[in-house]
């Protein structure tokens, strides 16, 4: 659908009460007018610059500079994506992409320019999966330009990609290594409970931090996952889980639910709505795993690698990929296969025996 956009330019104004400058102007899209007002500028020049940048980002044309394209892209997605997802995108854009492309018009971004940017990234020794993530973000921005800003073709297609979708090897702990870690941290009761839940259920750290007492079915030894926790810009936020299929009820070892029950008795006046790990953050768990793994002479892993350790252990015991996918809360079984295909056993001998015994 063609979008017809016009702009009604207006001067900057000064608010006599606050002594701050503001802009108030109109944009029109497909005949519908929209008023834009932004207040709080210390200088008239800053207010006018905001208006110019907004208008640049609003005009649907390949003359738009990349910096303003990114502003338009972020505004478009902010109501569609979760806050933590947007924060991740903003970090990648502001730190890894904008410094290189910001002043180019989008029509000036060629495959050769993209490859030059890729080569600079690869010199920085980032992990292969991180390189792929950064590159995919540029692809997404320029796909947005193709769809809404008349860019004929995404130059990233001709430039090719960099990095890898999945790591060649996962950093995992065996049960023996995990027990060695727990022994080193056994004086920190809250951490012991948290790490045991992570290792023996495979839930995400955000799902752990969101758990309330009412989410634990002690008699059935199950845990209900229906929300996630993030701390963003020093604010605690509870959201829905990562994907619709992340809402699930999973089995939990009896000794872990017993551990949780004993832990609850240590809490001050707990109620069903009390979060088990109130005051904890992902950062705290990451600090603990880094410090006490080193103390226990174990290889360094991330908190998220406990989820991989759990999944790999279950696969080694013959759990099928569909059941594992449901337990992990993946939206598609193909996601689980992508991540863990390299740890699945090849059953060539079993296949040969089956066929020969027909």
């Amino acid at each position: 659908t063609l979008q017809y956009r016009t702009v009604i330019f207006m001067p900057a104004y000064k608010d006599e009460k606050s002594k701050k400058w503001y802009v108030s102007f109109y944009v029109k899209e497909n005949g519908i007018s929209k008023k834009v007002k932004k207040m709080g500028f210390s200088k008239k020049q800053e207010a006018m610059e905001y208006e110019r940048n907004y208008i640049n980002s609003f005009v649907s044309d390949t003359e738009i500079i990349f910096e303003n394209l990114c502003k338009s892209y972020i505004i478009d997605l902010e109501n569609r994506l979760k806050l933590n997802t947007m924060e991740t995108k903003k970090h990648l854009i502001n730190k890894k992409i904008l410094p290189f492309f910001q002043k180019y018009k989008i029509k000036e971004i060629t495959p050769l320019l993209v490859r030059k940017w890729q080569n600079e990234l690869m010199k920085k020794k980032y992990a292969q999966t991180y390189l792929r993530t950064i590159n995919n973000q540029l692809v997404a921005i320029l796909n947005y330009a193709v769809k809404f800003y008349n860019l004929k073709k995404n130059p990233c297609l001709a430039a090719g990609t960099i990095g890898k979708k999945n790591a060649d090897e996962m950093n995992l702990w065996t049960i023996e290594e995990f027990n060695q870690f727990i022994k080193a941290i056994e004086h920190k009761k809250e951490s012991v409970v948290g790490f045991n839940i992570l290792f023996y259920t495979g839930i995400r750290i955000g799902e752990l931090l969101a758990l309330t007492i009412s989410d634990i079915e002690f008699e059935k030894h199950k845990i209900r996952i229906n929300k996630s926790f993030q701390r963003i810009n020093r604010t605690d936020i509870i959201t829905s889980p990562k994907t619709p299929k992340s809402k699930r009820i999973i089995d939990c070892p009896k000794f872990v639910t017993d551990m949780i029950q004993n832990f609850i008795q240590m809490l001050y006046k707990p109620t069903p709505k009390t979060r088990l790990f109130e005051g904890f953050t992902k950062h705290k768990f990451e600090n603990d795993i880094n410090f006490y793994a080193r103390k226990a002479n174990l290889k360094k892993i991330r908190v998220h690698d406990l989820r991989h350790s759990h999944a790999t252990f279950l696969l080694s015991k013959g759990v099928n990929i569909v059941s594992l996918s449901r337990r992990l809360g993946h939206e598609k079984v193909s996601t689980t296969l992508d991540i863990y295909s390299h740890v699945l056993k090849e059953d060539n001998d079993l296949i040969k025996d089956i066929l020969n015994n027909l």
Side-chain angles (χ1 to χ4, degrees):
T1 303
L2 289 175
Q3 293 180 324
Y4 300 94
R5 294 169 163 180
T6 58
V7 180
I8 301 172
F9 289 85
M10 302 291 282
Y13 306 92
K14 191 170 187 178
D15 183 86
E16 294 304 325
K17 189 175 181 179
S18 65
K19 303 300 180 185
K20 296 283 188 179
W21 289 88
Y22 70 93
V23 286
S24 178
F25 56 95
Y26 290 87
V27 293
K28 185 179 286 188
E29 184 170 11
N30 292 337
I32 300 172
S33 291
K34 171 188 172 186
K35 185 177 181 180
V36 179
K37 186 175 182 180
K38 181 72 173 179
M39 305 181 69
F41 297 101
S42 299
K43 299 178 181 178
K44 181 179 180 180
Q45 184 180 355
E46 293 172 354
M48 294 300 293
E49 184 179 357
Y50 174 86
E51 182 178 3
R52 283 195 302 272
N53 287 338
Y54 188 99
I55 289 167
N56 269 345
S57 69
F58 191 78
V59 176
S60 180
D61 191 88
T62 54
E63 292 290 327
I64 187 173
I65 63 171
F66 186 81
E67 184 177 19
N68 287 331
L69 172 69
C70 288
K71 289 177 184 176
S72 177
Y73 172 79
I74 288 169
I75 290 169
D76 183 63
L77 290 181
E78 276 182 324
N79 293 324
R80 298 168 181 263
L81 299 178
K82 291 181 181 178
L83 183 58
N84 60 311
T85 305
M86 282 308 305
E87 290 299 313
T88 300
K89 280 184 172 291
K90 287 177 184 178
H91 175 78
L92 291 176
I93 293 168
N94 292 332
K95 300 295 184 182
K96 312 301 178 186
I97 300 175
L98 266 180
F100 186 92
F101 292 106
Q102 58 186 349
K103 297 306 177 185
Y104 286 98
K105 294 178 181 179
I106 59 172
K107 70 178 185 180
E108 297 171 339
I109 299 176
T110 63
L112 192 60
L113 189 65
V114 172
R115 285 186 73 87
K116 183 179 178 182
W117 167 75
Q118 290 174 337
N119 288 334
E120 288 192 11
L121 276 180
M122 289 189 287
K123 290 176 185 176
K124 296 182 179 180
K125 308 293 184 182
Y126 291 136
Q128 291 296 306
T129 49
Y130 190 50
L131 285 174
R132 176 64 65 89
T133 299
I134 301 169
N135 192 80
N136 285 350
Q137 183 57 68
L138 178 64
V139 173
I141 294 168
L142 293 175
N143 278 342
Y144 177 78
V146 170
K147 192 169 185 179
F148 297 110
Y149 284 85
N150 300 323
L151 185 65
K152 289 184 178 180
K153 191 174 182 181
N154 191 330
C156 295
L157 298 177
T161 190
I162 55 173
K164 295 181 180 179
K165 187 175 181 180
N166 296 310
D168 292 329
E169 291 184 6
M170 287 184 180
N171 290 321
L172 307 171
W173 277 350
T174 63
I175 289 179
E176 291 73 24
E177 288 171 318
F178 177 72
N179 288 337
Q180 193 175 332
F181 167 72
I182 289 298
K183 189 172 182 181
I185 202 174
E186 61 185 356
H187 60 287
K188 302 184 73 169
K189 301 302 180 185
E190 301 97 330
S191 296
V192 168
V193 177
F195 281 116
N196 269 279
I197 296 172
L198 290 169
F199 186 82
Y200 287 106
T201 66
I203 65 175
R204 303 175 178 95
I205 182 65
E207 295 169 345
L208 172 82
L209 294 171
L211 286 178
T212 60
I213 292 174
S214 62
D215 293 325
I216 316 299
E217 299 183 13
F218 293 103
E219 292 184 3
K220 296 181 179 179
H221 307 297
K222 294 179 182 291
I223 295 180
R224 183 183 299 103
I225 308 297
N226 55 21
K227 51 191 172 297
S228 186
F229 168 94
Q230 287 88 31
R231 178 168 287 176
I232 301 172
N233 298 328
R234 299 182 181 179
T235 302
D236 293 350
I237 298 173
I238 301 292
T239 67
S240 57
K242 187 174 183 180
T243 67
K245 287 191 177 178
S246 291
K247 288 187 176 182
R248 61 205 189 277
I249 298 175
I250 58 174
D251 292 302
C252 182
K254 181 180 182 301
F255 76 88
V256 174
T257 52
D258 289 345
M259 190 182 296
I260 297 170
Q261 204 159 29
N262 292 333
F263 172 63
I264 289 170
Q265 294 175 6
M266 299 165 52
L267 300 178
Y268 179 71
K269 293 184 178 180
T271 70
K273 293 183 179 180
T274 298
R275 273 180 42 223
L276 291 176
F277 300 97
E278 188 80 43
F280 277 64
T281 62
K282 176 183 176 180
H283 185 65
K284 187 177 190 314
F285 277 97
E286 289 286 4
N287 282 344
D288 277 351
I289 202 169
N290 288 336
F291 181 81
Y292 290 100
R294 188 164 59 247
K295 192 172 181 180
N297 294 318
L298 293 165
K299 62 177 174 283
K300 182 180 178 180
I301 69 170
R302 305 166 303 159
V303 168
H304 192 74
D305 292 325
L306 296 176
R307 178 171 163 87
H308 294 322
S309 299
H310 176 78
T312 304
F313 170 75
L314 292 182
L315 286 172
S316 73
K317 296 298 181 182
V319 172
N320 72 70
I321 200 75
V322 176
S323 296
L324 178 64
S325 185
R326 289 173 183 160
R327 183 172 178 83
L328 295 177
H330 287 159
E331 194 64 15
K332 299 177 182 177
V333 176
S334 59
T335 302
T336 320
L337 274 169
D338 279 347
I339 299 171
Y340 300 108
S341 59
H342 67 288
V343 300
L344 291 169
K345 294 186 297 181
E346 287 194 20
D347 288 327
N348 293 335
D349 290 338
L350 177 60
I351 293 169
K352 183 171 66 177
D353 289 343
I354 290 171
L355 293 174
N356 286 331
N357 289 324
L358 285 174

